[in-house]
Amino acid sequence: MISLQTVILSLSVAYAVVGALLLVVLVYARLHWSLKAVAVVVTSAFYVVSFTEMRGLLGWASADRMPAAFKLLQARIVEPHSLEGDPGSIYLWVEALDEDNRPSGIPRAFRVPYDDRLADKTHAAQNEIAAGHPQGGRAADFGGGDGSLIDMVREYVTPKTILETSGGNSSTGEFNAPPAGAQGAVFTPLPPPRMPPKDEQ
């Protein structure tokens, strides 16, 4: 398996090569200045989009849809802070499960918008895990992910002072309220893995 450092180094070299090729085109190609300007803008936009989409490689919690079934490994609840304009988040460290409830062995962090009921359920799940009772969940209880590229860019661009702690409208860059499904089961005791049937002899 390729290490994360190798991936980052390879991507850095690739970006440098693309930048060098663009420089050669701009210097030696006999193109109209408007075409050269478009090339610069497109390449710059490509760098921004690539950086935003690769945040998961650097350990950022994802806002994408969670696995269909997962084991909750740990969670962190960040409550809203109105003075700092922080709408709050709930971070979940989960591991995907297959149809037999076997873990994949590849944990991943996810971020969902803060909600009082979801926070209470998450805290209760943390207590159960600490007591030695594994907890599981389903993506269906969380709805779809809210981590589109546009929303990620808005999160960086929108001033925190206009963020509200009571949900909001995604068209303004504010966090969306959790979906209705998040008010349901969310976390449940994790059943043991189903073992394959033994060969009859």
Side-chain angles (χ1 to χ4, degrees), residues 19-81:
L21 291 175
L22 176 63
L23 180 61
V24 171
V25 170
L26 295 179
V27 172
Y28 294 104
R30 295 183 178 179
L31 298 175
H32 192 268
W33 68 268
S34 60
L35 293 177
K36 294 182 178 181
V38 169
V40 171
V41 171
V42 169
T43 304
S44 301
F46 169 76
Y47 284 135
V48 173
V49 171
S50 298
F51 171 76
T52 304
E53 290 297 316
M54 289 189 305
R55 292 195 304 170
L57 291 176
L58 302 175
W60 290 76
S62 172
D64 295 334
R65 184 178 179 84
M66 288 188 283
F70 60 84
K71 176 181 180 181
L72 179 65
L73 301 176
Q74 194 50 264
R76 182 170 186 267
I77 301 170
V78 180
E79 296 186 356
H81 196 298

Side-chain angles (χ1 to χ4, degrees), residues 123-196:
H123 183 67
Q126 287 179 295
N127 290 338
E128 289 295 320
I129 292 173
H133 306 130
Q135 298 291 296
R138 302 178 308 143
D141 291 333
F142 290 86
D146 62 348
S148 66
L149 173 60
I150 297 298
D151 290 335
M152 290 182 183
V153 172
R154 285 194 186 112
E155 181 182 344
Y156 282 110
V157 175
T158 305
K160 288 185 175 293
T161 54
I162 71 171
L163 293 174
E164 297 179 359
T165 60
S166 58
N169 185 346
S170 62
S171 64
T172 63
E174 299 171 10
F175 271 62
N176 294 320
Q183 311 305 327
V186 183
F187 301 111
T188 57
L190 186 66
R194 288 188 288 271
M195 303 303 294

